[in-house]
Amino acid sequence: MAAIYSLYIINKSGGLIFYKDYGSAGRMDTNDSLRVASLWHSMHAISQQLSPTTGCSGIELLEADTFDLHCFQSLTAPRTPSVLIDFSKLNEMAHYEAYTGCTVYSWFRRCGVLSGSLWGCDLAYAGAAGTKFFVVCEPGTPHMESLLKVIYELYTDYVLKNPFYEMEMPIRCELFDINLSQAIQKDRVALLGR
Amino acid sequence: MQFFGSAEISPSPPVPTTSGNNAHMMYVFNRNGVCLLYREWNRPLRTLNAQQDHKLMFGLLFSLKSLTAKMDPTSAERGNLGVPQLPGQGCSFHSFRTNTYKLSFMESPSGLKLILITHPRTGDLRQSLKYIYNLYVEYVVKNPLYTPGAPIRCELFNTSLDQYVRSIA
């Protein structure tokens, strides 16, 4: 018996960048998981359109007959960077862009990687805007929001700060895999312990 | 899929989950996707015209149902994504929640879809939707002047629905 059935991460355009199955009956094939992920992306967007009040940010929890789906979306607008830009570095930034042809965002990320500073980390968050994380679990499984936050942290730490990772591309980072399975394992132990 | 045994309205409606009026709107669709009823109690934001809105809502429910049927982690035989399914076939869903609203959904064996949109903090409304379905059976289906598939224009149904919804959400 598994409390968590599967985990999906989709990028801001609805492409599946990470999928892991933790023991659901009949594993989904690659095509289906891609289609399910992009379907979820559009359903999430439509649910915002149908909101009776302003400020809707999409489905957070879907309660189906045999499972619950918890969804967490990282910040939709890159709000943080403007206040965090260190203007003494503008020159350096311009040089970086001119020499490498990379965007300022990747420079931000690289700064975060190299210095490990707090502001670099916050910018990495901004770069991940619109990424959706969702877990499929047994109905009524508690603490899924906090688990999603933990997974998000792992993502920023081990994926976004990985200098070889390209944004919006499928995640193939060993450290992320290791830490993720540890987090899920811990969650499972905590559930059994109750 | 549970069928709705008694045709009679239960003497006392299910206990309300919270107090205060925080229902936003209600939709009733038949199995062909025709919007039979749309009631609105509190809707400050309208992004689309009525017809577009109904279409979008039906499309959302249809796709979410095929999504849940495909994702169902407890059965190995799940069919293909997007193939229409009969009511009660495959894994369906009963509600979803966003930060601004909660949508509760019920589908009857005949394919009638009841959708109630309330404040996100309302509890489980499955019993309430069953009660509303019973109201529909009593006041709409048993109305001799009602033609199946036509929009619902029954005064008695509307008033009792308004009254009941005010008492639940």
Side-chain angles (χ1 to χ4, degrees), chain A:
Chain A
M1 190 185 83
I4 297 162
Y5 290 120
S6 47
L7 165 72
Y8 297 74
I9 302 177
I10 53 181
N11 64 19
K12 61 175 170 237
S13 38
L16 185 68
I17 55 173
F18 188 84
Y19 166 61
K20 200 148 179 81
D21 190 282
Y22 297 98
S24 44
R27 201 181 182 286
M28 228 186 280
D29 65 39
T30 320
N31 265 336
D32 282 334
S33 56
L34 284 167
R35 292 168 71 197
V36 158
S38 61
L39 184 59
W40 177 255
H41 178 77
S42 27
M43 293 307 107
H44 199 269
I46 290 176
S47 72
Q48 296 174 13
Q49 286 248 314
L50 288 166
S51 171
T53 54
T54 46
C56 183
S57 59
I59 306 179
E60 289 170 352
L61 166 67
L62 172 75
E63 292 177 293
D65 297 344
T66 57
F67 65 90
D68 275 5
L69 189 154
H70 291 261
C71 181
F72 170 76
Q73 187 177 20
S74 60
L75 290 177
T76 41
R79 279 176 287 193
T80 35
S82 54
V83 289
L84 286 162
I85 289 174
D86 181 355
F87 286 97
S88 64
K89 298 208 168 154
L90 273 178
N91 215 358
E92 204 183 318
M93 246 192 267
H95 274 113
Y96 180 82
E97 271 197 85
Y99 281 114
T100 61
C102 294
T103 56
V104 178
Y105 265 130
S106 66
W107 182 85
F108 284 153
R109 278 188 30 229
R110 218 153 284 257
C111 271
V113 175
L114 296 177
S115 64
S117 66
L118 179 71
W119 71 278
C121 176
D122 280 340
L123 290 165
Y125 280 166
T131 310
K132 285 189 254 312
F133 299 75
F134 55 101
V135 286
V136 177
C137 60
E138 273 176 26
T141 316
H143 314 306
M144 281 298 123
E145 277 81 11
S146 53
L147 178 74
L148 281 171
K149 295 251 163 66
V150 170
I151 294 171
Y152 179 47
E153 271 172 34
L154 293 177
Y155 169 75
T156 50
D157 280 349
Y158 298 109
V159 179
L160 289 184
K161 289 185 187 175
N162 181 340
F164 300 106
Y165 175 69
E166 266 184 72
M167 291 298 287
E168 320 293 333
M169 294 307 276
I171 297 170
R172 283 193 200 86
C173 303
E174 198 185 338
L175 269 178
F176 178 67
D177 287 343
I178 295 169
N179 283 281
L180 180 70
S181 49
Q182 271 173 4
I184 301 263
Q185 195 61 39
K186 212 195 274 175
D187 195 80
R188 229 175 245 180
V189 170
L191 278 174
L192 289 175
R194 276 180 305 108

